[in-house]
Amino acid sequence: MPAPLPDHGLQLRSLITPDGSLEVSLVNLPLPTLADDEVLLRVEAAPINPSDIGLLFGAADMSAASLSGQGVSSVLCAPVPVAARPAMAGRVGQSLPAGNEGAGTVVAAGPAPAAQALLGRKVAALGGAMYAQYRALPADQCLLLPDAASAADGASCFVNPLTALGMVETMRREGHSALVHTAAASNLGQMLNRICLQDGVGLVNIVRSATQAALLRDQGAVHVVDTSAADFQPALVDALAATGATLAFDATGGGRLAGQILGAMEAALTRKPGGAYSRYGSATHKQVYLYGMLDTRPTEFVRNFGMAWGMGGWLLFPFLQRIGAEAAQALKQRVADELFTTFASRYSRTLSLAEALQPEVVAKYYARSTGAKFLIDPSR
């Protein structure tokens, strides 16, 4: 007989106060009444992704963070700089849950057959508010994990894998033949490299150190360019000429990198023999999508790439909505089928909810260093 469920469960929440302070704390909330098609997930693993860090801490100065209270009564506080407060105005006074994805065991289910079929099973879920001991959500937002999978194995089933698959799918749908990816040594970047090798897609990996370049080359990456190298720009042009890549996904967002990629694409295209000169540049469309904000500076570029170009934003959830339920489900099924190979994730540390509030721990995962991906286990 299953153990009785508690009446309440802890949830991590983030608040910007009217006086310009960030407060991240644990709130004890009653467990919800389930709708017919809903399940109650006991969350046992939830990764800390860059998008989660953005919601948790907003524009607060985390170098000045401090902790009051202990254990489940802990409150992490940090000031929001005056210049950054207008950007945070829309969330002042709103206590927001965090955690885009996670995995665990279904401990209760509504009467609908789809919900009942998941009772007692390990599932991954993409529904937000996953930094919580319990999470109610529709059964169709859950992905049944293989019997051999743990919650940690399935915790990162969605954001990174579907983002990487979405990049390749966007390439195909928009008529490109190869890709460029920045911050390519990240967990997501390593997944994208494995996908492209498996699918025979040309990929130019842009990293920021020789160590990261060696990491990717050891994993079979063919084209790796290092922004810290003296020959970065000509090496990038060579890699683009070799692959024919005219689509890039940039995780940095700010600074000059997106513009440098467009300029290098134009240089690679005009290198082709037999092309007629045009003062408007090559006729081939070159596109860079910004999908992250690792660099918070303004995006800067020099118009040295002709007139056939585009720079815009790309987000996973709108992409999944655009392609429709059937296509999105096909991507999710591929993730489940290749969970222990292409889409395997590794974590450097597992935290309890309370540990995730400790300033010295926050400093480590806030840095978003390569090879330092953190996991929260709310059941600890």
Side-chain angles (χ1 to χ4, degrees), residues 350-373:
T350 300
L351 311 170
S352 69
L353 286 169
E355 287 173 327
L357 294 177
Q358 296 173 3
E360 64 274 15
V361 176
V362 171
K364 292 178 181 178
Y365 67 77
Y366 186 78
R368 293 168 280 193
S369 302
T370 299
K373 191 171 179 67

Short mmCIF file of all heavy atoms in Angstrom, two decimals, residues 350-373:
data_model
loop_
_atom_site.label_atom_id
_atom_site.label_comp_id
_atom_site.label_asym_id
_atom_site.label_seq_id
_atom_site.Cartn_x
_atom_site.Cartn_y
_atom_site.Cartn_z
N THR A 350 24.53 17.60 -6.84
CA THR A 350 23.08 17.56 -6.59
C THR A 350 22.79 18.28 -5.28
O THR A 350 23.46 18.05 -4.26
CB THR A 350 22.58 16.11 -6.51
OG1 THR A 350 22.85 15.44 -7.74
CG2 THR A 350 21.08 16.07 -6.24
N LEU A 351 21.79 19.16 -5.30
CA LEU A 351 21.47 20.03 -4.17
C LEU A 351 20.06 19.74 -3.65
O LEU A 351 19.18 19.34 -4.42
CB LEU A 351 21.52 21.50 -4.59
CG LEU A 351 22.74 21.99 -5.35
CD1 LEU A 351 22.50 23.40 -5.88
CD2 LEU A 351 23.98 21.96 -4.45
N SER A 352 19.85 19.99 -2.38
CA SER A 352 18.49 20.08 -1.86
C SER A 352 17.94 21.47 -2.16
O SER A 352 18.68 22.37 -2.58
CB SER A 352 18.48 19.82 -0.35
OG SER A 352 19.11 20.91 0.33
N LEU A 353 16.65 21.67 -1.96
CA LEU A 353 16.07 23.00 -2.16
C LEU A 353 16.75 24.04 -1.28
O LEU A 353 17.06 25.15 -1.72
CB LEU A 353 14.57 22.97 -1.88
CG LEU A 353 13.69 22.28 -2.92
CD1 LEU A 353 12.26 22.09 -2.38
CD2 LEU A 353 13.65 23.08 -4.22
N ALA A 354 17.00 23.69 -0.03
CA ALA A 354 17.63 24.64 0.89
C ALA A 354 19.06 24.94 0.49
O ALA A 354 19.52 26.08 0.58
CB ALA A 354 17.56 24.11 2.32
N GLU A 355 19.80 23.92 0.05
CA GLU A 355 21.19 24.14 -0.37
C GLU A 355 21.26 25.07 -1.58
O GLU A 355 22.23 25.82 -1.73
CB GLU A 355 21.84 22.80 -0.71
CG GLU A 355 22.16 21.94 0.50
CD GLU A 355 22.63 20.56 0.12
OE1 GLU A 355 22.17 20.02 -0.92
OE2 GLU A 355 23.46 20.01 0.86
N ALA A 356 20.25 25.06 -2.43
CA ALA A 356 20.24 25.92 -3.62
C ALA A 356 20.15 27.39 -3.27
O ALA A 356 20.34 28.25 -4.15
CB ALA A 356 19.07 25.53 -4.53
N LEU A 357 19.89 27.72 -1.99
CA LEU A 357 19.79 29.11 -1.55
C LEU A 357 21.08 29.61 -0.90
O LEU A 357 21.19 30.81 -0.62
CB LEU A 357 18.65 29.27 -0.55
CG LEU A 357 17.23 29.04 -1.09
CD1 LEU A 357 16.22 29.16 0.04
CD2 LEU A 357 16.91 30.03 -2.18
N GLN A 358 22.04 28.75 -0.65
CA GLN A 358 23.25 29.17 0.04
C GLN A 358 24.13 30.00 -0.90
O GLN A 358 24.44 29.57 -2.02
CB GLN A 358 24.03 27.94 0.53
CG GLN A 358 23.26 27.14 1.56
CD GLN A 358 23.94 25.85 1.94
OE1 GLN A 358 25.05 25.54 1.47
NE2 GLN A 358 23.29 25.07 2.79
N PRO A 359 24.52 31.21 -0.49
CA PRO A 359 25.25 32.12 -1.39
C PRO A 359 26.49 31.51 -2.03
O PRO A 359 26.77 31.74 -3.21
CB PRO A 359 25.60 33.30 -0.49
CG PRO A 359 24.53 33.30 0.55
CD PRO A 359 24.22 31.86 0.80
N GLU A 360 27.25 30.71 -1.27
CA GLU A 360 28.47 30.13 -1.83
C GLU A 360 28.14 29.08 -2.91
O GLU A 360 28.90 28.89 -3.86
CB GLU A 360 29.35 29.51 -0.74
CG GLU A 360 28.73 28.33 0.00
CD GLU A 360 27.84 28.73 1.17
OE1 GLU A 360 27.46 29.92 1.26
OE2 GLU A 360 27.54 27.85 2.00
N VAL A 361 26.99 28.42 -2.77
CA VAL A 361 26.55 27.46 -3.78
C VAL A 361 25.99 28.20 -4.99
O VAL A 361 26.27 27.85 -6.14
CB VAL A 361 25.50 26.50 -3.19
CG1 VAL A 361 24.97 25.55 -4.27
CG2 VAL A 361 26.09 25.71 -2.03
N VAL A 362 25.20 29.24 -4.73
CA VAL A 362 24.65 30.06 -5.83
C VAL A 362 25.78 30.60 -6.70
O VAL A 362 25.68 30.60 -7.94
CB VAL A 362 23.80 31.22 -5.26
CG1 VAL A 362 23.42 32.20 -6.38
CG2 VAL A 362 22.55 30.67 -4.59
N ALA A 363 26.86 31.05 -6.08
CA ALA A 363 27.97 31.62 -6.84
C ALA A 363 28.53 30.62 -7.84
O ALA A 363 28.96 30.99 -8.94
CB ALA A 363 29.08 32.09 -5.89
N LYS A 364 28.50 29.34 -7.50
CA LYS A 364 29.06 28.31 -8.38
C LYS A 364 28.14 28.04 -9.56
O LYS A 364 28.59 27.98 -10.70
CB LYS A 364 29.31 27.03 -7.58
CG LYS A 364 30.44 27.19 -6.57
CD LYS A 364 30.64 25.92 -5.76
CE LYS A 364 31.77 26.12 -4.74
NZ LYS A 364 31.96 24.92 -3.89
N TYR A 365 26.82 27.87 -9.31
CA TYR A 365 25.97 27.59 -10.47
C TYR A 365 25.58 28.85 -11.22
O TYR A 365 25.26 28.80 -12.42
CB TYR A 365 24.75 26.73 -10.11
CG TYR A 365 23.68 27.30 -9.22
CD1 TYR A 365 22.73 28.20 -9.69
CD2 TYR A 365 23.55 26.86 -7.90
CE1 TYR A 365 21.73 28.69 -8.88
CE2 TYR A 365 22.54 27.34 -7.07
CZ TYR A 365 21.63 28.24 -7.56
OH TYR A 365 20.62 28.72 -6.75
N TYR A 366 25.64 30.01 -10.59
CA TYR A 366 25.37 31.27 -11.28
C TYR A 366 26.46 31.56 -12.32
O TYR A 366 26.19 32.21 -13.34
CB TYR A 366 25.32 32.41 -10.26
CG TYR A 366 24.89 33.75 -10.82
CD1 TYR A 366 23.56 34.02 -11.08
CD2 TYR A 366 25.84 34.75 -11.07
CE1 TYR A 366 23.16 35.25 -11.58
CE2 TYR A 366 25.45 35.98 -11.57
CZ TYR A 366 24.11 36.22 -11.83
OH TYR A 366 23.73 37.45 -12.33
N ALA A 367 27.66 31.04 -12.11
CA ALA A 367 28.77 31.27 -13.04
C ALA A 367 28.56 30.55 -14.37
O ALA A 367 29.16 30.90 -15.38
CB ALA A 367 30.08 30.80 -12.41
N ARG A 368 27.69 29.52 -14.39
CA ARG A 368 27.35 28.78 -15.61
C ARG A 368 28.60 28.30 -16.35
O ARG A 368 28.74 28.44 -17.56
CB ARG A 368 26.48 29.64 -16.53
CG ARG A 368 25.11 29.93 -15.95
CD ARG A 368 24.36 30.99 -16.70
NE ARG A 368 24.81 32.31 -16.32
CZ ARG A 368 24.19 33.44 -16.61
NH1 ARG A 368 23.07 33.40 -17.29
NH2 ARG A 368 24.66 34.61 -16.22
N SER A 369 29.53 27.73 -15.59
CA SER A 369 30.78 27.26 -16.16
C SER A 369 30.57 25.95 -16.91
O SER A 369 29.75 25.12 -16.52
CB SER A 369 31.82 27.05 -15.05
OG SER A 369 32.04 28.24 -14.33
N THR A 370 31.34 25.76 -17.98
CA THR A 370 31.31 24.50 -18.71
C THR A 370 31.69 23.35 -17.79
O THR A 370 32.66 23.42 -17.05
CB THR A 370 32.28 24.55 -19.90
OG1 THR A 370 31.88 25.60 -20.78
CG2 THR A 370 32.29 23.24 -20.66
N GLY A 371 30.90 22.27 -17.82
CA GLY A 371 31.17 21.10 -17.00
C GLY A 371 30.71 21.22 -15.57
O GLY A 371 31.01 20.35 -14.74
N ALA A 372 29.96 22.28 -15.24
CA ALA A 372 29.49 22.48 -13.87
C ALA A 372 27.98 22.65 -13.85
O ALA A 372 27.46 23.69 -13.46
CB ALA A 372 30.18 23.69 -13.24
N LYS A 373 27.27 21.62 -14.31
CA LYS A 373 25.81 21.66 -14.34
C LYS A 373 25.29 21.09 -13.03
O LYS A 373 25.70 20.01 -12.59
CB LYS A 373 25.29 20.85 -15.53
CG LYS A 373 23.79 21.05 -15.79
CD LYS A 373 23.38 20.40 -17.10
CE LYS A 373 21.90 20.56 -17.39
NZ LYS A 373 21.55 21.97 -17.64
#
